[in-house]
Amino acid sequence: MNDAAAMIERPDALPTQRNKWPILEVLNKELTVPADILEIGSGTGQHAIFFAEKLPFIEWFTSDVSSNHAGMNSWLQSYKGSNIRLPINLEIGVNEINLTANFDHVFSSNTSHIMSFDNVKKMFSLAGRLLPRGGKFYLYGPFKINNEFTSKSNKDFDGMLKKQNPLMGLRDIEKLDILASKEGMAKYKFYDMPANNYFSIWRKDELI
């Protein structure tokens, strides 16, 4: 990493620090062989560093909007390993159609509720397009189940998001399953996680 990145004040994503261990527990079960993973919405890069360090056989490809790259690189320049790639300029709804590389798996955390539903569709389309048969799309975050909130805190969080932007909000997991199926992916596993979050995994079973 370059010296300019080191001069940027490092942003700190507190949710990343709270959820990294539970997510790692799932990834340890699911990822058992070397693989390339694209992370959609890497944010600060803190997840990337933690998972790449704990899963050294994984090649972790970071991505986010270009405005987040400087802060992310300020974290990545501290990483001593060699299994993290510098961030790809990726903004769902703007330039995802330009990404044509193939990855074994796709991972994203706390993104579906801060996008419009139209962009959520585009994220699923991207994952379905990039994944090979047998590849998995890992999505972590708070979801509704059967169109119902699973806790008061999640309902309150949804209301807060909608006040910021009416296009944001918690997504119903059954609707996400439908999006996945349209892209050749089927529900593989669904994990209950701490703090009223979930970890949903879809596997690419068909080539579209």
Side-chain angles (χ1 to χ4, degrees):
M1 309 296 171
N2 58 37
D3 292 338
M7 295 173 64
I8 301 293
E9 183 176 354
R10 289 179 183 172
D12 190 11
L14 293 179
T16 298
Q17 300 308 308
R18 290 194 296 266
N19 63 36
K20 63 184 181 181
W21 286 103
I23 293 176
L24 177 65
E25 185 176 351
V26 174
L27 293 180
N28 264 325
K29 294 176 184 177
E30 299 295 336
L31 300 172
T32 58
V33 297
D36 291 342
I37 296 183
L38 170 68
E39 181 181 15
I40 297 175
S42 298
T44 63
Q46 289 166 279
H47 263 167
I49 290 173
F50 182 75
F51 298 140
E53 181 180 36
K54 300 299 182 182
L55 302 166
F57 55 93
I58 297 298
E59 192 77 15
W60 199 273
F61 288 74
T62 59
S63 77
D64 213 311
V65 298
S66 59
S67 59
N68 286 341
H69 288 194
M72 191 190 313
N73 285 335
S74 71
W75 278 99
L76 297 184
Q77 59 88 28
S78 69
Y79 183 59
K80 304 304 182 185
S82 59
N83 60 326
I84 297 180
R85 298 295 183 90
L86 290 174
I88 298 166
N89 180 18
L90 177 62
E91 183 172 359
I92 302 298
V94 175
N95 66 355
E96 78 283 345
I97 195 68
N98 298 330
L99 185 57
T100 58
N102 292 322
F103 302 92
D104 298 304
H105 305 292
V106 174
F107 169 88
S108 194
S109 174
N110 286 323
T111 53
S112 64
H113 54 273
I114 60 172
M115 302 179 181
S116 68
F117 191 67
D118 187 54
N119 281 349
V120 173
K121 291 180 182 178
K122 290 175 181 177
M123 179 169 66
F124 273 77
S125 179
L126 175 66
R129 177 166 59 82
L130 297 182
L131 289 174
R133 181 172 289 156
K136 296 168 188 168
F137 179 27
Y138 298 82
L139 184 62
Y140 172 89
F143 305 113
K144 292 189 286 185
I145 296 179
N146 294 320
N147 212 32
E148 297 287 340
F149 295 105
T150 60
S151 69
K152 183 180 182 301
S153 63
N154 278 358
K155 182 177 182 180
D156 292 344
F157 181 47
D158 180 80
M160 182 190 73
L161 289 171
K162 283 182 165 56
K163 284 183 180 179
Q164 295 179 38
N165 185 334
L167 295 179
M168 297 196 298
L170 274 62
R171 308 305 172 190
D172 185 68
I173 195 64
E174 285 78 16
K175 291 180 181 178
L176 298 186
D177 290 341
I178 292 171
L179 294 184
S181 68
K182 290 179 178 179
E183 303 300 333
M185 298 182 287
K187 177 61 72 63
Y188 178 71
K189 289 183 182 177
F190 189 68
Y191 291 90
D192 285 326
M193 304 293 278
N196 301 307
N197 287 302
Y198 300 93
F199 204 176
S200 187
I201 306 174
W202 296 272
R203 184 172 61 188
K204 182 75 174 288
D205 290 332
E206 300 178 33
L207 296 179
I208 302 299

